[in-house]
Amino acid sequence: MTAVGVPEHELERLRPRDVAHYLRSRGWKQGSRIRYSRRWELEWGGQHHRVLLPLDSELADYADRMADLIGALSVTEGRPASVVHQDLTMTGLDVQYIRTMPRTPSGTIPVQDGVLAVTSARDLLMAAACDTVAEEHRLVQPRRKPQRAKDFVESARFGPSAPGSYIFTVQVPLPEATSEGSLFEDVPELDVAPEPFARQVSRRMYEAVTAARTAAEQAALADDSAPFSEGVEQGISADLCEALAGIGGQDSRNSQQGNGNRPTGHGFSLDFAWSPRWPVPYEKSVAEFPQRLVPVLREGAQDLRRQEPDRGVTIVGRPTKLKRVADFGPGEVTVEGRLMQENGDLVGQQRQIHLHLTEENYDRATDAHRARRDLKIEGDLTRRGNFHELINLTGFDVL
């Protein structure tokens, strides 16, 4: 055990490049080289601080030099050396700290809530990864997940729990920006390189979680779930909202803890810590969700699922209403139709379905209406309030 209380073998694992990233992220400035070390300097609290970073991990006294550096950082930052060391080991990770606040003694969580929180944290990663991969933002993520999203989730890992109510840590490994370089090269400044996919997902998750927090607050005030659908461009989806609600515990409408009707959900927060290997995208890092917003998230997810289109459907029916603002141009048409299956059978009850057509197709629909002929239209069927609409049309024929 070294003077700072960190085992020697743990100090030997620290990489000079990662420690340099850490120092730079904390405001330290690179100074001159002193043989096999690099001086780093910081003005803090009216004082001038200096530390030496060993550049060669093969040095015989490398662990001792790292211990001296960690001891100096501990004094400067006013934090235990063990905590400083832990941060140094995580410089290649984006870390999400999920702090749950269940109604149990600090440091504990009900087993069912704990299981749900772990699976929901995984689902949160998957929702952000799917949205990052997708060419378009979706209300509901596809059941068949993209392989790149699945590979990303498999690469992430849970870290040790942190002190607090009950905190899960999710670690997302990031690649190196460049190679380590030789012993006699200066430690380079932060490289400007394409943002790695793992950081893109971490950033997207932060944006989506922040947007979901705002949408939940607005939805609670207005008693309307519209803010969730308005935030889809920021990464909100039914999957993401369900994952966040799951972190908030069991649904109090469907479960009890043997204590009457007391809600079983709880508040929680997400804190994002960014790897210094790449530019930190946001200064604000914490999104807090009080317990009252957990059911709002669930309701928002349900509403988004109701709005999700049935993709690639075929509707057959007769136009009943036609409307456009002029004698020419695009227009709106209402069709009373049914769903056609792949074998040609018409199923389900007749529904009034709204279409927005180009000028050419509107004229064809007008002719079909006069001749009392059916239309066959292909597209995505969605629900808008009290009516259905066929969007993203891929086929239009007069039968």
Side-chain angles (χ1 to χ4, degrees):
M1 188 71 67
T2 59
V4 293
V6 179
E8 183 174 329
H9 69 276
E10 292 289 343
L11 295 172
E12 291 173 346
R13 292 178 182 175
L14 295 175
R15 300 193 305 172
R17 185 181 181 86
D18 284 343
V19 178
H21 283 310
Y22 174 88
L23 292 171
R24 189 176 290 110
S25 71
R26 297 276 175 163
W28 292 80
K29 304 297 182 183
Q30 185 175 262
S32 59
R33 178 189 289 276
I34 303 177
R35 299 193 66 187
Y36 299 108
S37 299
R38 168 73 67 181
R39 176 185 287 128
W40 288 78
E41 301 176 345
L42 174 70
E43 294 291 339
W44 179 261
Q47 296 182 357
H48 186 75
H49 300 270
R50 294 179 181 176
V51 295
L52 287 178
L53 170 62
L55 301 180
D56 185 1
S57 59
E58 298 300 322
L59 292 171
D61 61 346
Y62 181 77
D64 292 334
R65 295 191 185 194
M66 277 297 182
D68 292 340
L69 185 147
I70 290 176
L73 291 177
S74 174
V75 173
T76 302
E77 299 177 6
R79 300 192 302 157
S82 60
V83 176
V84 175
H85 171 257
Q86 183 179 24
D87 285 353
L88 290 174
T89 64
M90 296 197 300
T91 57
L93 304 170
D94 281 343
V95 182
Q96 292 90 48
Y97 296 91
I98 303 175
R99 179 173 180 258
T100 62
M101 291 169 277
R103 298 176 182 85
T104 52
S106 180
T108 68
I109 188 172
V111 170
Q112 292 298 328
D113 283 353
V115 171
L116 181 58
V118 168
T119 57
S120 296
R122 176 205 60 196
D123 294 344
L124 187 64
L125 288 171
M126 182 63 77
C130 287
D131 191 70
T132 304
V133 171
E135 297 180 356
E136 62 175 342
H137 302 293
R138 298 185 54 162
L139 302 175
V140 180
Q141 299 298 343
R143 290 185 179 180
R144 187 171 183 177
K145 309 302 183 188
Q147 187 61 46
R148 194 175 190 188
K150 293 193 290 187
D151 291 343
F152 165 79
V153 173
E154 289 180 1
S155 72
R157 59 202 188 213
F158 285 106
S161 180
S165 296
Y166 199 88
I167 300 178
F168 300 90
T169 59
V170 181
Q171 301 177 351
V172 176
L174 297 182
E176 278 282 10
T178 60
S179 62
E180 181 80 17
S182 72
L183 169 65
F184 299 102
E185 291 177 349
D186 287 347
V187 178
E189 293 296 323
L190 194 61
D191 302 278
V192 178
E195 189 177 50
F197 180 71
R199 168 54 64 83
Q200 293 176 35
V201 176
S202 294
R203 180 166 49 80
R204 194 55 178 168
M205 186 192 303
Y206 172 84
E207 295 165 351
V209 168
T210 303
R213 171 64 175 82
T214 301
E217 194 67 63
Q218 293 174 346
L221 290 173
D223 194 22
D224 186 349
S225 60
F228 288 101
S229 56
E230 294 169 358
V232 170
E233 292 293 323
Q234 285 73 50
I236 294 178
S237 66
D239 306 71
L240 180 118
C241 291
E242 287 167 351
L244 290 173
I247 293 172
Q250 303 290 314
D251 188 345
S252 60
R253 296 170 299 180
N254 299 324
S255 62
Q256 297 181 0
Q257 282 186 320
N259 51 5
N261 295 321
R262 194 174 77 175
T264 57
H266 52 254
F268 64 94
S269 66
L270 276 79
D271 189 358
F272 292 77
W274 308 97
S275 166
R277 286 186 180 177
W278 299 84
V280 175
Y282 301 103
E283 292 184 5
K284 186 179 183 334
S285 63
V286 181
E288 297 182 351
F289 292 82
Q291 192 277 333
R292 61 182 175 81
L293 293 184
V294 174
V296 180
L297 289 166
R298 286 196 179 90
E299 292 169 6
Q302 292 170 1
D303 191 66
L304 290 173
R305 288 198 178 277
R306 285 192 291 266
Q307 296 179 48
E308 172 68 2
D310 291 329
R311 298 180 183 273
V313 303
T314 301
I315 297 296
V316 174
R318 190 159 297 178
T320 57
K321 297 180 183 178
L322 301 96
K323 178 182 178 182
R324 62 180 172 185
V325 296
D327 294 334
F328 55 87
E332 297 178 358
V333 175
T334 300
V335 172
E336 190 168 295
R338 299 170 68 190
L339 180 68
M340 174 182 278
Q341 294 184 324
E342 292 184 3
N343 61 6
D345 292 343
L346 298 180
V347 297
Q349 66 184 69
Q350 283 195 330
R351 297 181 181 275
Q352 289 193 341
I353 301 169
H354 297 257
L355 313 169
H356 185 80
L357 300 179
T358 63
E359 180 178 8
E360 178 185 357
N361 285 339
Y362 184 89
D363 291 338
R364 295 173 66 192
T366 301
D367 293 338
H369 178 63
R370 291 171 180 163
R372 297 184 178 180
R373 298 175 63 181
D374 286 341
L375 300 176
K376 178 183 176 183
I377 319 106
E378 299 174 6
D380 300 334
L381 186 64
T382 185
R383 183 164 186 160
R384 308 290 191 194
N386 296 323
F387 65 90
H388 290 81
E389 182 178 8
L390 200 65
I391 60 176
N392 303 326
L393 301 187
T394 56
F396 185 94
D397 293 301
V398 178
L399 300 181

